[in-house]
Amino acid sequence: KLILAIKEIEDISNNDKLDIEFAITKNNIIIFQVRPLTALKKDTDVIVKKHVRNEIEKNQKKFLKIQGKKYTVGKKTIFSNMADWNPAEIIGSNPKKLDYSLYDYLVMKDSWSKGRILLGYNDDQNNSLMEEFSGRPYVNVETSFSSLLPYTMNRKIQKKLINYFMKKLENNPHLHDKVEFEILFTCYDLTLETRLQELVKHGFSKNEIAKIKAQLLNFTNKIIEDFPEICLKCDGAIKKMEQLNFEIKQKLNSTEKNHKNLLSSAEKLLLSCKNPGTVQFSTIARIAFIGTILMKSLQKRGYVKSEIIEGFMNSITTPVSELQNDFDLWVNNKFSKKQFLEKYGHLRSGTYDITALRYDQANQFFEKIKYIKNNSDKLKNTQKIKTPPILLRNNLKFRKINFWDFVRESLVKREQLKFEFTKNLSDALELIAKAGKNLGFSRNEISNLEITDLFRLKNKPKSVLKRILREKIVKNTKKKLLNNYLVLPPLIFSKKDFEMVEYMITKPNYISTKMITGDIIILKNLQDSIPTLSNKIVIIENADPGYDWIFMKKPLGLITKYGGVASHMAIRCAELGLPAAIGCGEFLFEKLLTANKILLDCKNE
């Protein structure tokens, strides 16, 4: 009946590009209103329709081909833009070619897996974690789930577990940005025994469940025991990246700055980002997840009050705390602008985006901020909190290291590694931009190239290289413009999902227990001006370390479209006690964009 009604409206209006609001009753179709969609020019319309249809068919074939491959353990796979290494949050749901290829090169090809293997998880380094559909980044969920099980676990049990995880995600698609906390068993925690009972309904025997519990306990204890040594390796990785950055720049200063030398230096910087950078980051980020999972299980079981956890998170000092403190010193003439920019100048609002200005490039960036000192003192845990006895009673070996130190150190090391990683990445992007300028290309043009092409072709004669890159830029720019007309869902379960796009209601990740009401401000393009954020609830699609300047402007709260419970912005907001809703999803986010004022009640979610 609905299809018949739509056909009738199309005949009456002589238009098939319509936005139709309707309701379905037991017997009838009710049409509330009909609006024409913005029409394309006739010739453009034909080109776009053909391109979109071709892309849908190409994506469907690619999806089915991947499904046909023999996977590690599971029966099928699902694709998500926010599971595991959440690409939609890091590079956006529709990134530029260079952004995508950089993230793939530095993280998603194999580095993501190498760090997990060091902890004793499955060896999945032969599988790339990210797949691209019409330029959009997706995580291969089956590969992700397989990589988060201990390699010592019985293969038959692993296979049953992964099929259970996949089924649970299919039934609860809104959990795709919370898989580590709501779906998977990646470590031991205080809710594990209760959660494992769900497996009985899915064909697991009591003996299999007991084995899973015992293995996860041993696995978690091994990580706790190895933690001090892992911290030393993280410190070593930070020092090595610093040293390599210094040596590469020194060497470049003594040679001619032509495009070959600039691209060679950029490649060396990016290799340092991969190893030791990403590999060690993958390790410590996983431990930070384990610490957070344990902490949340203490809260869920009622052994630690949420106020204690909130105060503890607020006591942690990461680079964002240092950023605020150093900026305050600069404002009060106790720290020079030169010193400040030497330390933080590499940050940019879009870590992988060559077109985003760095802090040290944006004219009067910080002067425009009109810094407002946060008068509320940062909560400090002056009293040493002991390891909750319940953890020891559950045979978790927090004897050599205090549990709270384990959580704090893993989070701090994660953020310190990320900070150093972004420095080398940012410097590499600047060298690539200079090489592009040397060849006659703007930053926008370079953003339409793949990083592997730049490195692979760098030794060709300048005239030949310019011609090849120009052809690639024209081709990739055209394809990107056409791909923008295609809509893809956040989750892909079957080939039908490329034709009928469905959005689930996402449950945001709430930070703090505060309740606020305030006017909103939507952050989009930051090239032109720095808006006033004081006492406003900031709304932004996705945010990475380059957006840490937001916190210096004393916002009332923060809401993001993409982001997980332990993502960069979630940790930042918890550290500062800033009320936030991280990862609202497409549906709720679009609604919020039409609001003027929002009530954000984090305690009651």
PDB file of all heavy atoms in Angstrom, residues 68-95:
ATOM      1  N   GLY A  68      32.978 -15.066   1.325  1.00  0.00           N
ATOM      2  CA  GLY A  68      33.354 -16.375   0.789  1.00  0.00           C
ATOM      3  C   GLY A  68      34.719 -16.847   1.232  1.00  0.00           C
ATOM      4  O   GLY A  68      35.057 -18.024   1.106  1.00  0.00           O
ATOM      5  N   LYS A  69      35.541 -15.905   1.776  1.00  0.00           N
ATOM      6  CA  LYS A  69      36.880 -16.290   2.231  1.00  0.00           C
ATOM      7  C   LYS A  69      36.788 -17.159   3.488  1.00  0.00           C
ATOM      8  O   LYS A  69      35.830 -17.049   4.251  1.00  0.00           O
ATOM      9  CB  LYS A  69      37.714 -15.038   2.555  1.00  0.00           C
ATOM     10  CG  LYS A  69      38.154 -14.268   1.334  1.00  0.00           C
ATOM     11  CD  LYS A  69      38.969 -13.061   1.778  1.00  0.00           C
ATOM     12  CE  LYS A  69      39.384 -12.213   0.586  1.00  0.00           C
ATOM     13  NZ  LYS A  69      40.100 -10.995   1.002  1.00  0.00           N
ATOM     14  N   LYS A  70      37.807 -17.965   3.689  1.00  0.00           N
ATOM     15  CA  LYS A  70      37.831 -18.804   4.894  1.00  0.00           C
ATOM     16  C   LYS A  70      38.348 -17.961   6.054  1.00  0.00           C
ATOM     17  O   LYS A  70      39.486 -17.506   6.054  1.00  0.00           O
ATOM     18  CB  LYS A  70      38.732 -20.022   4.684  1.00  0.00           C
ATOM     19  CG  LYS A  70      38.621 -21.018   5.825  1.00  0.00           C
ATOM     20  CD  LYS A  70      39.526 -22.216   5.599  1.00  0.00           C
ATOM     21  CE  LYS A  70      39.419 -23.169   6.776  1.00  0.00           C
ATOM     22  NZ  LYS A  70      40.373 -24.263   6.680  1.00  0.00           N
ATOM     23  N   TYR A  71      37.509 -17.749   7.052  1.00  0.00           N
ATOM     24  CA  TYR A  71      37.918 -16.939   8.192  1.00  0.00           C
ATOM     25  C   TYR A  71      38.573 -17.787   9.276  1.00  0.00           C
ATOM     26  O   TYR A  71      38.511 -19.006   9.266  1.00  0.00           O
ATOM     27  CB  TYR A  71      36.718 -16.159   8.746  1.00  0.00           C
ATOM     28  CG  TYR A  71      36.446 -14.948   7.923  1.00  0.00           C
ATOM     29  CD1 TYR A  71      35.475 -14.955   6.936  1.00  0.00           C
ATOM     30  CD2 TYR A  71      37.233 -13.816   8.073  1.00  0.00           C
ATOM     31  CE1 TYR A  71      35.263 -13.854   6.137  1.00  0.00           C
ATOM     32  CE2 TYR A  71      37.037 -12.708   7.279  1.00  0.00           C
ATOM     33  CZ  TYR A  71      36.049 -12.728   6.318  1.00  0.00           C
ATOM     34  OH  TYR A  71      35.853 -11.643   5.526  1.00  0.00           O
ATOM     35  N   THR A  72      39.150 -17.100  10.227  1.00  0.00           N
ATOM     36  CA  THR A  72      39.887 -17.768  11.288  1.00  0.00           C
ATOM     37  C   THR A  72      39.019 -18.794  12.015  1.00  0.00           C
ATOM     38  O   THR A  72      39.394 -19.925  12.186  1.00  0.00           O
ATOM     39  CB  THR A  72      40.401 -16.720  12.315  1.00  0.00           C
ATOM     40  OG1 THR A  72      40.871 -15.588  11.612  1.00  0.00           O
ATOM     41  CG2 THR A  72      41.503 -17.288  13.151  1.00  0.00           C
ATOM     42  N   VAL A  73      37.857 -18.374  12.467  1.00  0.00           N
ATOM     43  CA  VAL A  73      37.004 -19.283  13.228  1.00  0.00           C
ATOM     44  C   VAL A  73      35.516 -19.141  12.922  1.00  0.00           C
ATOM     45  O   VAL A  73      34.781 -20.115  12.933  1.00  0.00           O
ATOM     46  CB  VAL A  73      37.216 -19.107  14.756  1.00  0.00           C
ATOM     47  CG1 VAL A  73      38.433 -19.833  15.231  1.00  0.00           C
ATOM     48  CG2 VAL A  73      37.294 -17.662  15.143  1.00  0.00           C
ATOM     49  N   GLY A  74      35.040 -17.935  12.663  1.00  0.00           N
ATOM     50  CA  GLY A  74      33.598 -17.703  12.555  1.00  0.00           C
ATOM     51  C   GLY A  74      32.978 -18.141  11.243  1.00  0.00           C
ATOM     52  O   GLY A  74      33.652 -18.489  10.287  1.00  0.00           O
ATOM     53  N   LYS A  75      31.649 -18.112  11.198  1.00  0.00           N
ATOM     54  CA  LYS A  75      30.903 -18.516  10.002  1.00  0.00           C
ATOM     55  C   LYS A  75      30.780 -17.382   8.985  1.00  0.00           C
ATOM     56  O   LYS A  75      30.662 -17.596   7.801  1.00  0.00           O
ATOM     57  CB  LYS A  75      29.480 -18.952  10.406  1.00  0.00           C
ATOM     58  CG  LYS A  75      29.420 -20.280  11.133  1.00  0.00           C
ATOM     59  CD  LYS A  75      27.969 -20.579  11.506  1.00  0.00           C
ATOM     60  CE  LYS A  75      27.869 -21.867  12.321  1.00  0.00           C
ATOM     61  NZ  LYS A  75      26.498 -22.094  12.802  1.00  0.00           N
ATOM     62  N   LYS A  76      30.733 -16.151   9.476  1.00  0.00           N
ATOM     63  CA  LYS A  76      30.494 -14.995   8.591  1.00  0.00           C
ATOM     64  C   LYS A  76      31.149 -13.775   9.209  1.00  0.00           C
ATOM     65  O   LYS A  76      31.749 -13.869  10.276  1.00  0.00           O
ATOM     66  CB  LYS A  76      28.992 -14.764   8.427  1.00  0.00           C
ATOM     67  CG  LYS A  76      28.280 -14.459   9.755  1.00  0.00           C
ATOM     68  CD  LYS A  76      26.834 -14.114   9.577  1.00  0.00           C
ATOM     69  CE  LYS A  76      26.691 -12.737   8.974  1.00  0.00           C
ATOM     70  NZ  LYS A  76      25.304 -12.259   8.970  1.00  0.00           N
ATOM     71  N   THR A  77      31.021 -12.649   8.544  1.00  0.00           N
ATOM     72  CA  THR A  77      31.497 -11.416   9.168  1.00  0.00           C
ATOM     73  C   THR A  77      30.459 -10.312   9.039  1.00  0.00           C
ATOM     74  O   THR A  77      29.492 -10.415   8.281  1.00  0.00           O
ATOM     75  CB  THR A  77      32.847 -10.965   8.605  1.00  0.00           C
ATOM     76  OG1 THR A  77      33.384  -9.972   9.479  1.00  0.00           O
ATOM     77  CG2 THR A  77      32.718 -10.377   7.212  1.00  0.00           C
ATOM     78  N   ILE A  78      30.688  -9.267   9.801  1.00  0.00           N
ATOM     79  CA  ILE A  78      29.859  -8.058   9.820  1.00  0.00           C
ATOM     80  C   ILE A  78      30.852  -6.912   9.692  1.00  0.00           C
ATOM     81  O   ILE A  78      32.009  -7.045  10.091  1.00  0.00           O
ATOM     82  CB  ILE A  78      29.080  -7.967  11.160  1.00  0.00           C
ATOM     83  CG1 ILE A  78      28.114  -9.147  11.321  1.00  0.00           C
ATOM     84  CG2 ILE A  78      28.321  -6.643  11.273  1.00  0.00           C
ATOM     85  CD1 ILE A  78      27.586  -9.323  12.746  1.00  0.00           C
ATOM     86  N   PHE A  79      30.435  -5.799   9.143  1.00  0.00           N
ATOM     87  CA  PHE A  79      31.300  -4.626   9.065  1.00  0.00           C
ATOM     88  C   PHE A  79      30.694  -3.483   9.872  1.00  0.00           C
ATOM     89  O   PHE A  79      29.489  -3.217   9.788  1.00  0.00           O
ATOM     90  CB  PHE A  79      31.502  -4.201   7.611  1.00  0.00           C
ATOM     91  CG  PHE A  79      32.318  -5.183   6.831  1.00  0.00           C
ATOM     92  CD1 PHE A  79      31.718  -6.154   6.044  1.00  0.00           C
ATOM     93  CD2 PHE A  79      33.700  -5.161   6.905  1.00  0.00           C
ATOM     94  CE1 PHE A  79      32.471  -7.080   5.343  1.00  0.00           C
ATOM     95  CE2 PHE A  79      34.471  -6.081   6.209  1.00  0.00           C
ATOM     96  CZ  PHE A  79      33.853  -7.036   5.427  1.00  0.00           C
ATOM     97  N   SER A  80      31.536  -2.820  10.672  1.00  0.00           N
ATOM     98  CA  SER A  80      31.093  -1.718  11.534  1.00  0.00           C
ATOM     99  C   SER A  80      32.063  -0.553  11.398  1.00  0.00           C
ATOM    100  O   SER A  80      33.274  -0.762  11.327  1.00  0.00           O
ATOM    101  CB  SER A  80      31.039  -2.184  12.991  1.00  0.00           C
ATOM    102  OG  SER A  80      31.077  -1.092  13.880  1.00  0.00           O
ATOM    103  N   ASN A  81      31.525   0.681  11.386  1.00  0.00           N
ATOM    104  CA  ASN A  81      32.435   1.836  11.296  1.00  0.00           C
ATOM    105  C   ASN A  81      32.878   2.335  12.674  1.00  0.00           C
ATOM    106  O   ASN A  81      33.604   3.307  12.784  1.00  0.00           O
ATOM    107  CB  ASN A  81      31.808   2.974  10.484  1.00  0.00           C
ATOM    108  CG  ASN A  81      30.591   3.602  11.151  1.00  0.00           C
ATOM    109  OD1 ASN A  81      30.239   3.289  12.295  1.00  0.00           O
ATOM    110  ND2 ASN A  81      29.915   4.489  10.437  1.00  0.00           N
ATOM    111  N   MET A  82      32.413   1.632  13.755  1.00  0.00           N
ATOM    112  CA  MET A  82      32.790   2.086  15.096  1.00  0.00           C
ATOM    113  C   MET A  82      33.248   0.977  16.034  1.00  0.00           C
ATOM    114  O   MET A  82      33.474   1.224  17.209  1.00  0.00           O
ATOM    115  CB  MET A  82      31.604   2.836  15.732  1.00  0.00           C
ATOM    116  CG  MET A  82      31.596   4.324  15.447  1.00  0.00           C
ATOM    117  SD  MET A  82      33.101   5.188  15.942  1.00  0.00           S
ATOM    118  CE  MET A  82      33.032   4.968  17.722  1.00  0.00           C
ATOM    119  N   ALA A  83      33.366  -0.258  15.568  1.00  0.00           N
ATOM    120  CA  ALA A  83      33.852  -1.326  16.442  1.00  0.00           C
ATOM    121  C   ALA A  83      35.373  -1.258  16.540  1.00  0.00           C
ATOM    122  O   ALA A  83      36.041  -0.810  15.615  1.00  0.00           O
ATOM    123  CB  ALA A  83      33.413  -2.693  15.900  1.00  0.00           C
ATOM    124  N   ASP A  84      35.900  -1.693  17.671  1.00  0.00           N
ATOM    125  CA  ASP A  84      37.340  -1.858  17.878  1.00  0.00           C
ATOM    126  C   ASP A  84      38.119  -0.558  17.683  1.00  0.00           C
ATOM    127  O   ASP A  84      38.044   0.329  18.533  1.00  0.00           O
ATOM    128  CB  ASP A  84      37.858  -2.968  16.958  1.00  0.00           C
ATOM    129  CG  ASP A  84      39.115  -3.639  17.515  1.00  0.00           C
ATOM    130  OD1 ASP A  84      39.709  -3.092  18.444  1.00  0.00           O
ATOM    131  OD2 ASP A  84      39.496  -4.706  17.015  1.00  0.00           O
ATOM    132  N   TRP A  85      38.826  -0.368  16.570  1.00  0.00           N
ATOM    133  CA  TRP A  85      39.657   0.827  16.367  1.00  0.00           C
ATOM    134  C   TRP A  85      38.854   1.989  15.789  1.00  0.00           C
ATOM    135  O   TRP A  85      39.423   2.932  15.223  1.00  0.00           O
ATOM    136  CB  TRP A  85      40.840   0.494  15.451  1.00  0.00           C
ATOM    137  CG  TRP A  85      41.952  -0.222  16.155  1.00  0.00           C
ATOM    138  CD1 TRP A  85      42.018  -1.561  16.415  1.00  0.00           C
ATOM    139  CD2 TRP A  85      43.146   0.342  16.707  1.00  0.00           C
ATOM    140  NE1 TRP A  85      43.187  -1.860  17.079  1.00  0.00           N
ATOM    141  CE2 TRP A  85      43.903  -0.712  17.272  1.00  0.00           C
ATOM    142  CE3 TRP A  85      43.655   1.638  16.773  1.00  0.00           C
ATOM    143  CZ2 TRP A  85      45.132  -0.513  17.901  1.00  0.00           C
ATOM    144  CZ3 TRP A  85      44.888   1.827  17.388  1.00  0.00           C
ATOM    145  CH2 TRP A  85      45.610   0.773  17.941  1.00  0.00           C
ATOM    146  N   ASN A  86      37.533   1.925  15.932  1.00  0.00           N
ATOM    147  CA  ASN A  86      36.555   2.958  15.535  1.00  0.00           C
ATOM    148  C   ASN A  86      37.017   3.998  14.511  1.00  0.00           C
ATOM    149  O   ASN A  86      37.219   5.166  14.839  1.00  0.00           O
ATOM    150  CB  ASN A  86      35.986   3.691  16.771  1.00  0.00           C
ATOM    151  CG  ASN A  86      37.001   3.911  17.869  1.00  0.00           C
ATOM    152  OD1 ASN A  86      38.197   4.006  17.615  1.00  0.00           O
ATOM    153  ND2 ASN A  86      36.526   3.986  19.086  1.00  0.00           N
ATOM    154  N   PRO A  87      37.130   3.594  13.234  1.00  0.00           N
ATOM    155  CA  PRO A  87      37.623   4.520  12.198  1.00  0.00           C
ATOM    156  C   PRO A  87      36.755   5.756  11.989  1.00  0.00           C
ATOM    157  O   PRO A  87      37.278   6.824  11.671  1.00  0.00           O
ATOM    158  CB  PRO A  87      37.670   3.651  10.934  1.00  0.00           C
ATOM    159  CG  PRO A  87      36.798   2.479  11.206  1.00  0.00           C
ATOM    160  CD  PRO A  87      36.883   2.240  12.675  1.00  0.00           C
ATOM    161  N   ALA A  88      35.429   5.637  12.164  1.00  0.00           N
ATOM    162  CA  ALA A  88      34.548   6.800  11.948  1.00  0.00           C
ATOM    163  C   ALA A  88      34.881   7.921  12.926  1.00  0.00           C
ATOM    164  O   ALA A  88      34.735   9.102  12.606  1.00  0.00           O
ATOM    165  CB  ALA A  88      33.080   6.394  12.086  1.00  0.00           C
ATOM    166  N   GLU A  89      35.337   7.552  14.126  1.00  0.00           N
ATOM    167  CA  GLU A  89      35.715   8.566  15.114  1.00  0.00           C
ATOM    168  C   GLU A  89      37.077   9.173  14.781  1.00  0.00           C
ATOM    169  O   GLU A  89      37.279  10.378  14.949  1.00  0.00           O
ATOM    170  CB  GLU A  89      35.766   7.946  16.513  1.00  0.00           C
ATOM    171  CG  GLU A  89      36.130   8.960  17.591  1.00  0.00           C
ATOM    172  CD  GLU A  89      36.455   8.319  18.931  1.00  0.00           C
ATOM    173  OE1 GLU A  89      36.585   7.084  18.999  1.00  0.00           O
ATOM    174  OE2 GLU A  89      36.596   9.073  19.893  1.00  0.00           O
ATOM    175  N   ILE A  90      37.992   8.351  14.299  1.00  0.00           N
ATOM    176  CA  ILE A  90      39.372   8.805  14.091  1.00  0.00           C
ATOM    177  C   ILE A  90      39.540   9.582  12.783  1.00  0.00           C
ATOM    178  O   ILE A  90      40.153  10.647  12.759  1.00  0.00           O
ATOM    179  CB  ILE A  90      40.351   7.614  14.119  1.00  0.00           C
ATOM    180  CG1 ILE A  90      40.182   6.793  15.407  1.00  0.00           C
ATOM    181  CG2 ILE A  90      41.792   8.091  13.969  1.00  0.00           C
ATOM    182  CD1 ILE A  90      40.460   7.543  16.686  1.00  0.00           C
ATOM    183  N   ILE A  91      38.994   9.058  11.677  1.00  0.00           N
ATOM    184  CA  ILE A  91      39.188   9.728  10.377  1.00  0.00           C
ATOM    185  C   ILE A  91      37.876  10.184   9.748  1.00  0.00           C
ATOM    186  O   ILE A  91      37.871  10.734   8.644  1.00  0.00           O
ATOM    187  CB  ILE A  91      39.964   8.819   9.386  1.00  0.00           C
ATOM    188  CG1 ILE A  91      39.283   7.450   9.229  1.00  0.00           C
ATOM    189  CG2 ILE A  91      41.411   8.666   9.813  1.00  0.00           C
ATOM    190  CD1 ILE A  91      39.911   6.547   8.172  1.00  0.00           C
ATOM    191  N   GLY A  92      36.746   9.960  10.441  1.00  0.00           N
ATOM    192  CA  GLY A  92      35.448  10.378   9.905  1.00  0.00           C
ATOM    193  C   GLY A  92      34.807   9.259   9.098  1.00  0.00           C
ATOM    194  O   GLY A  92      35.479   8.333   8.644  1.00  0.00           O
ATOM    195  N   SER A  93      33.501   9.354   8.887  1.00  0.00           N
ATOM    196  CA  SER A  93      32.771   8.288   8.185  1.00  0.00           C
ATOM    197  C   SER A  93      32.946   8.357   6.671  1.00  0.00           C
ATOM    198  O   SER A  93      32.623   7.414   5.960  1.00  0.00           O
ATOM    199  CB  SER A  93      31.277   8.359   8.533  1.00  0.00           C
ATOM    200  OG  SER A  93      30.763   9.634   8.185  1.00  0.00           O
ATOM    201  N   ASN A  94      33.461   9.495   6.154  1.00  0.00           N
ATOM    202  CA  ASN A  94      33.684   9.640   4.713  1.00  0.00           C
ATOM    203  C   ASN A  94      34.993  10.413   4.498  1.00  0.00           C
ATOM    204  O   ASN A  94      34.997  11.550   4.058  1.00  0.00           O
ATOM    205  CB  ASN A  94      32.500  10.367   4.076  1.00  0.00           C
ATOM    206  CG  ASN A  94      32.570  10.374   2.562  1.00  0.00           C
ATOM    207  OD1 ASN A  94      33.362   9.660   1.957  1.00  0.00           O
ATOM    208  ND2 ASN A  94      31.751  11.199   1.935  1.00  0.00           N
ATOM    209  N   PRO A  95      36.140   9.772   4.834  1.00  0.00           N
ATOM    210  CA  PRO A  95      37.415  10.495   4.854  1.00  0.00           C
ATOM    211  C   PRO A  95      38.000  10.765   3.469  1.00  0.00           C
ATOM    212  O   PRO A  95      37.579  10.179   2.469  1.00  0.00           O
ATOM    213  CB  PRO A  95      38.328   9.546   5.636  1.00  0.00           C
ATOM    214  CG  PRO A  95      37.784   8.189   5.318  1.00  0.00           C
ATOM    215  CD  PRO A  95      36.292   8.370   5.198  1.00  0.00           C
TER     216      PRO A  95
END
